[in-house]
Amino acid sequence: MPTEAIVRGDFFYAYGRFYANPGQVERVQGSVLRAAFLPELTPAGQEYLSTPRYLGGQTYLRHNYEDWFVRCQLKHYGVPFNEADIAGNGTLLLQKALEAGRCDQVPAHIAQQRDEMHAEWIQQLTLEETSKKMQGHPEWVMERCFLTSGQPDRTKTTTVIGMPFDVDDSDRYGAMREAVSRIPGLHQVTCNVPGEQTIFVGWDSAAVKQAAKRHKDEYKKAIEAWYEEREQARSKLHDGYLKTIERKQGSEGFSPVGDYVVDCEEIEARWPDQDDDFSLSITKTGKAGIYLASFDFGVVEGVMIMGVDAEAVEDYCERYDEFDEDEMDEMDEMGLEDEYSSEDDYSSEDENSSEDEGEPRLKVCTASIARTHGRGHTLQEAKTSATQPLKYHLKLRCADKMNEGQIYYEPQNGAIEYHQDNMASFTGEVSLPGVGSSVWFIARKTSDTVSNQFPEPWAEYSKTAYENAQDTLYVKRASELRTGHGYI
């Protein structure tokens, strides 16, 4: 029994439900009872009387009331009885009451008791509980805070209350606004912040507006503080890495391989609640000059195949669709594929000679770089290194983390370019389905060691993987439909 329940005799009330004890059984409408129990017990009536049936640890029958069902229905309809009158589960006694018309209408004194218990339950709620837990019941909120006997009552709640709603919860949000608008003299203002909309309600128009403004200002301060704290943590990781590579001489000791923290202004702005852990890890493949990168950009995650030579990347992706990762590595080691040149074979003259049609052209993003880590390296500065390739073409596949089963298996183009020959940070431009065709991001290396030693392979995001994910999702949703009402 809920701790917030109001108890009187054989009845208790909580959250809009009126139960009879023992058994915690709600009233069933008289016409439904007649159809289930007259002229004889039907399968529907038997279900009301059934004991719980457990499948996989879950109860699937709707009405697991055992032999309390009849007793509680008689109490709901005010039908007196003695335990001696009940044989078995009480079916015969209930049938007699139904035939006599004693379950056609709830007695006035029981209906009044229910209304009184409802009013008592409503009034015991705190303003905090009302505003944070009762958004789905606008009539209760109005009754608790702004009405007495159905009439506006300015003395009941003299402060402003704020009720938050998820930004996608348009039904409950609209119902609450409608309920407020029906009360004369009651004011409301909606404050929108990313992911949430809060309705502020009160009798004083100026106070309502001020509460909404204060909420928005507090949100901005909290977000700024959070971003600052996150940036300090990320900068600390990156700066620690920079210290470890100070002793390296020349460019031969540097490689794309490692873990990176990522900043992406576009995703951060559109999905501010999804940017805690933007990350990217780059590992070697069995093919010289070709790298596999796994990434998590909050709303999407996936893999990249990257290399200095765009054609080599294209060919590798095509071959990857034909063979699994182990087979590819075996072929690479045995020299069964045409050899690709390593990144050491490409000079700055080669990589600047031409751009394949359709490949993104990297542009200077100095504002983002400066905001992200304060170094302001431009891509023009990066071109000064002729000994180590700094630009890599890539293909990516990804999955939508906010849309279960959605895999974008068509390879998308992209490119990255390191800011300096120590390969400690780079700017990237990629096409990300669901986000944009030209999405910019900054990556800063935190380690030369990859934390994820077993990244998901390219084939994990193939058309076959997409079809399998859709099949799995269909089965899952079909199962939810079968069990969504608590029974099979």
Side-chain angles (χ1 to χ4, degrees), residues 28-179:
V28 177
Q29 189 173 342
S31 60
V32 176
L33 287 175
R34 294 179 68 86
F37 288 88
L38 295 179
E40 59 185 16
L41 183 63
T42 68
Q46 186 61 54
E47 185 181 348
Y48 281 115
L49 299 169
S50 295
T51 55
R53 177 160 62 93
Y54 295 95
L55 295 176
Q58 298 186 50
T59 304
Y60 286 98
L61 289 182
R62 283 179 294 181
H63 314 296
N64 302 307
Y65 305 145
E66 301 182 0
D67 59 343
W68 298 116
F69 179 78
V70 168
R71 292 171 173 81
C72 289
Q73 294 306 311
L74 295 176
K75 291 178 181 179
H76 276 297
Y77 287 99
V79 179
F81 65 91
N82 296 315
E83 285 297 323
D85 298 331
I86 299 179
N89 55 25
T91 300
L92 291 177
L93 181 58
L94 180 59
Q95 288 173 329
K96 289 180 181 179
L98 290 169
E99 289 171 344
R102 305 189 67 177
C103 297
D104 293 344
Q105 186 175 351
V106 176
H109 72 280
I110 292 181
Q112 180 179 352
Q113 180 173 339
R114 180 199 180 281
D115 292 343
E116 290 173 353
M117 293 172 72
H118 165 76
E120 186 177 348
W121 182 81
I122 287 289
Q123 291 308 311
Q124 68 152 1
L125 297 174
T126 65
L127 288 180
E128 179 74 13
E129 289 174 320
T130 305
S131 62
K132 299 298 191 293
K133 297 181 180 180
M134 300 297 149
Q135 300 99 316
H137 300 278
E139 71 282 3
W140 295 353
V141 176
M142 299 304 107
E143 182 180 354
R144 167 62 181 86
C145 300
F146 305 112
L147 297 174
T148 296
S149 300
Q151 298 300 312
D153 185 348
R154 291 174 174 265
T155 65
K156 205 167 190 179
T157 303
T158 57
T159 59
V160 176
I161 67 170
M163 292 168 285
F165 295 84
D166 187 89
V167 70
D168 297 321
D169 193 358
S170 58
D171 291 340
R172 297 200 308 168
Y173 170 76
M176 184 62 73
R177 286 189 59 85
E178 175 64 23

Side-chain angles (χ1 to χ4, degrees), residues 268-286:
E268 290 172 9
R270 291 170 59 185
W271 296 278
D273 57 337
Q274 296 291 326
D275 64 352
D276 308 318
D277 264 335
F278 286 13
S279 60
L280 182 144
S281 296
I282 301 176
T283 61
K284 292 181 179 180
T285 67

